[in-house]
Amino acid sequence: MVDSWEASQSTYQQTLAVLCRIKNCLCKERLLSEDSLKLMLVCSSDVLQSFSIPGVWIPEQVNIEVVDELVSNQISSTRVRDCISRGLSIKYLTADEVIDYIRDNHLYLKSNEDKWEAACYAAQL
């Protein structure tokens, strides 16, 4: 499921506050019991690096569990955004539905519409 609350806020929301809100909503609506729910942030290495920046995260609440990749693919959200901004194809980097959503909402553009059109055309191939 997707919760649009964070995106609709006018200012940055701390990740912990967002996770707590999601947990409270799920428990309040009785979709899950509080005892059976453990929220975790799944992130890539670029977010993981921010754990070492003082004041960004609460140290007592950072418990890192490393998950090894079974198949190394070098695909990341940062790479997808970079490809789009350069007008490169993302056809095999993510699902077609995600590509459609990104295209329809003109996400991750840094320069002009021509690059996006080039990326969209390349994604069709």
Side-chain angles (χ1 to χ4, degrees), residues 36-106:
S36 68
L37 183 63
K38 179 178 181 181
L39 290 177
M40 300 179 79
L41 171 66
V42 178
C43 66
S44 59
S45 61
D46 51 347
V47 173
L48 186 63
Q49 287 177 330
S50 72
F51 289 1
S52 65
I53 300 171
V56 175
W57 299 92
I58 300 170
E60 303 81 50
Q61 296 175 336
V62 174
N63 297 298
I64 300 172
E65 185 172 329
V66 177
V67 178
D68 290 326
E69 295 179 86
L70 294 176
V71 177
S72 179
N73 62 21
Q74 300 298 313
I75 297 173
S76 70
S77 58
T78 301
R79 187 168 297 215
V80 169
R81 290 189 299 270
D82 186 51
C83 286
I84 292 169
S85 71
R86 293 171 183 240
L88 301 174
S89 173
I90 59 169
K91 176 69 176 165
Y92 299 104
L93 299 181
T94 190
D96 289 343
E97 296 83 4
V98 173
I99 294 171
D100 293 341
Y101 182 85
I102 292 170
R103 182 190 60 239
D104 294 346
N105 292 280
H106 304 283

Side-chain angles (χ1 to χ4, degrees), residues 12-46:
Y12 168 76
Q13 300 299 308
Q14 291 185 325
T15 303
L16 181 60
V18 175
L19 292 175
C20 287
R21 182 184 180 285
I22 292 170
K23 181 177 182 177
N24 290 337
C25 287
L26 292 172
C27 294
K28 183 177 155 185
E29 295 176 17
R30 302 199 192 286
L31 296 173
L32 293 168
S33 70
E34 193 166 338
D35 298 349
S36 68
L37 183 63
K38 179 178 181 181
L39 290 177
M40 300 179 79
L41 171 66
V42 178
C43 66
S44 59
S45 61
D46 51 347

